[in-house]
Amino acid sequence: MTFMKKLTLFLMVLLPAASLHAQHTLTHDQRMQWWRDARFGMFIHWGDYAVLAGNYKGHQVGRGGEWIMNRGKIPVLEYQQYAKQFNPVKYDADAWVKTARDAGMKYIVITAKHHDGFAMFKSAASKWNIVDATPYGKDVLKPLAAACKKYGIKLGFYCSQAQDWNNPGGAAARKVATEGWPNPDSVKIDAYTLAHTGHWDPLQTSATMSDYITKVAVPQVKELLTNYGEVAVLWWDTPTNMTDEYAQQLQEVLKLQPNIITNDRLKRPNFPGDYKTPEQKIPNQSELDGRDWETCMTMNGTWGYKDYDQKWKSTETLIRNLADIASKNGNYLLNVGPDALGQFPEGSLTALKGIGQWMKVNGASIYGTQGSPLPPLEWGRCTQKIKGATTTLYLHVFNWPTDGKLHVPGIKGKVNSARLLATGQQLSTTGNAEDLVISVPATAPDPIDAVIAVTL
């Protein structure tokens, strides 16, 4: 064997080990960098519950969707029958990821397993999964992982680590029966759930939670972190009845993906994760404490699919939410709830298309930005980028000035230029001790959020 061949073989052995070691030595800030730059991601709540579409026994179940089994107090064996109708033949992972990419989203987090314990992947730990329990018979996460890789989108998995209403031993948050539907057995059910830590079916308590964590939760997280390539995010949810001991068992599994980042819902307060997760609301500046954070939010009123929920947020609201969140150093995880056939609802597609058109023009004012250095702005929001001695402020103008003068308080430093991001048109500026005044055209280039880039 020649020296060069020996050297090549040596490097082939050495480099993977060195690469793995490099993964282990990333700092917190290095692991978080892509996520901080992304600012915008897609949440996907999808599971066998989409078959029910929010309805049970002729009633629209309150707070149903992905919670319909609990809210409706559906018995385990009855609920499992609905999986036999779950056959998402119109599921197209490539189209899903392309839709996210075209909307300007940089990562996807999908419910690999929600609280009903139904795994959207082939699992050796429980037959209650899409491959073994449905006529569809295929793992939906594998094609999604392939499509994310194709389009350069980061992939994350939501995993209900504690609540599991079908696999014995899983936890169940106690909810009053009448919140779901006018069940004639509500009084009896409520007495039972009170006496059985939220559970409503004896099958749910036929094992201990310790058994569940060891035999189902830990093995399934291992499967998720082993079988789908790089996993960027593990999104825990509702640490019902979790202990530090259970949490530590799950935390250990994360070593399979050294670069993974996690949220703050594994077990509070001792497992804070990498970022905070306000839900369905955008924090005020006073509520922020310097930690990374991400608002998750629905486009209508539900996470999992309901066929009757048509209360869609306007494209204007969603775009302005994104600007507001980025102006406070946060991320926006915006939800889609596909139906039982695997289709995105039309209302979601319309909104995502509108956001994508805006992002195509104004993405520079969102990606890789930091929060606003300015005082509160009556007319909109501000994001910024700092490169060396140069700062670019992106002024998100929601309310275009009628007098042609935009007043910007708190500007420090010399203004080099001001321009409309949409057209590149240069704008003249004047300054005084109190604020910068930018002369703007009579009509806004975008009625929802017109962005002016100011270089200092």
Side-chain angles (χ1 to χ4, degrees), residues 204-241:
Q204 296 169 322
T205 50
S206 59
T208 66
M209 189 161 180
S210 180
D211 291 335
Y212 166 74
I213 294 291
T214 304
K215 296 176 182 177
V216 180
V218 167
Q220 288 189 330
V221 174
K222 283 182 179 175
E223 289 170 337
L224 288 171
L225 300 188
T226 303
N227 298 334
Y228 303 94
E230 181 193 0
V231 180
V233 176
L234 203 299
W235 215 98
W236 309 111
D237 199 17
T238 64
T240 307
N241 296 344

Side-chain angles (χ1 to χ4, degrees), residues 292-342:
D292 291 294
W293 64 278
E294 170 190 79
T295 282
C296 58
M297 191 177 286
T298 55
M299 290 197 205
N300 52 356
T302 184
W303 299 101
Y305 178 72
K306 291 180 187 173
D307 56 13
Y308 52 87
D309 187 348
Q310 301 299 322
K311 295 178 181 177
W312 299 100
K313 294 179 178 72
S314 67
T315 303
E316 174 183 290
T317 294
L318 297 173
I319 290 171
R320 290 184 177 182
N321 281 349
L322 176 58
D324 185 19
I325 289 165
S327 78
K328 297 169 182 171
N329 259 328
N331 280 25
Y332 197 21
L333 190 64
L334 189 58
N335 184 70
V336 178
D339 66 19
L341 290 174

Side-chain angles (χ1 to χ4, degrees), residues 173-376:
R174 183 173 184 262
K175 304 295 181 182
V176 178
T178 49
E179 288 184 354
W181 65 287
N183 190 325
D185 295 324
S186 292
V187 173
K188 181 180 173 184
I189 290 169
D190 288 345
Y192 188 91
T193 60
L194 184 62
H196 294 86
T197 57
H199 299 94
W200 58 94
D201 187 321
L203 289 176
Q204 296 169 322
T205 50
S206 59
T208 66
M209 189 161 180
S210 180
D211 291 335
Y212 166 74
I213 294 291
T214 304
K215 296 176 182 177
V216 180
V218 167
Q220 288 189 330
V221 174
K222 283 182 179 175
E223 289 170 337
L224 288 171
L225 300 188
T226 303
N227 298 334
Y228 303 94
E230 181 193 0
V231 180
V233 176
L234 203 299
W235 215 98
W236 309 111
D237 199 17
T238 64
T240 307
N241 296 344
M242 283 291 285
T243 65
D244 284 0
E245 179 190 354
Y246 296 156
Q248 189 58 47
Q249 290 181 55
L250 291 159
Q251 185 87 357
E252 285 296 312
V253 185
L254 299 177
K255 292 176 181 176
L256 291 168
Q257 297 263 356
N259 293 344
I260 201 166
I261 62 176
T262 64
N263 69 347
D264 61 342
R265 300 190 183 191
L266 175 57
K267 166 69 169 69
R268 298 183 177 103
N270 294 339
F271 295 82
D274 296 300
Y275 62 96
K276 299 170 74 171
T277 51
E279 184 169 322
Q280 296 283 45
K281 67 168 191 170
I282 301 171
N284 296 321
Q285 199 70 49
S286 62
E287 297 174 273
L288 303 176
D289 59 5
R291 283 196 68 197
D292 291 294
W293 64 278
E294 170 190 79
T295 282
C296 58
M297 191 177 286
T298 55
M299 290 197 205
N300 52 356
T302 184
W303 299 101
Y305 178 72
K306 291 180 187 173
D307 56 13
Y308 52 87
D309 187 348
Q310 301 299 322
K311 295 178 181 177
W312 299 100
K313 294 179 178 72
S314 67
T315 303
E316 174 183 290
T317 294
L318 297 173
I319 290 171
R320 290 184 177 182
N321 281 349
L322 176 58
D324 185 19
I325 289 165
S327 78
K328 297 169 182 171
N329 259 328
N331 280 25
Y332 197 21
L333 190 64
L334 189 58
N335 184 70
V336 178
D339 66 19
L341 290 174
Q343 304 168 115
F344 284 4
E346 200 59 43
S348 296
L349 291 172
T350 299
L352 290 170
K353 185 177 180 182
I355 297 169
Q357 289 169 345
W358 184 88
M359 287 291 279
K360 205 167 281 186
V361 175
N362 300 289
S365 69
I366 300 294
Y367 303 131
T369 60
Q370 298 175 34
S372 174
L374 305 180

Side-chain angles (χ1 to χ4, degrees), residues 114-130:
H114 210 279
H115 303 325
D116 67 351
F118 184 80
M120 298 293 281
F121 56 97
K122 173 65 175 173
S123 175
S126 170
K127 291 291 185 184
W128 183 234
N129 68 74
I130 192 169

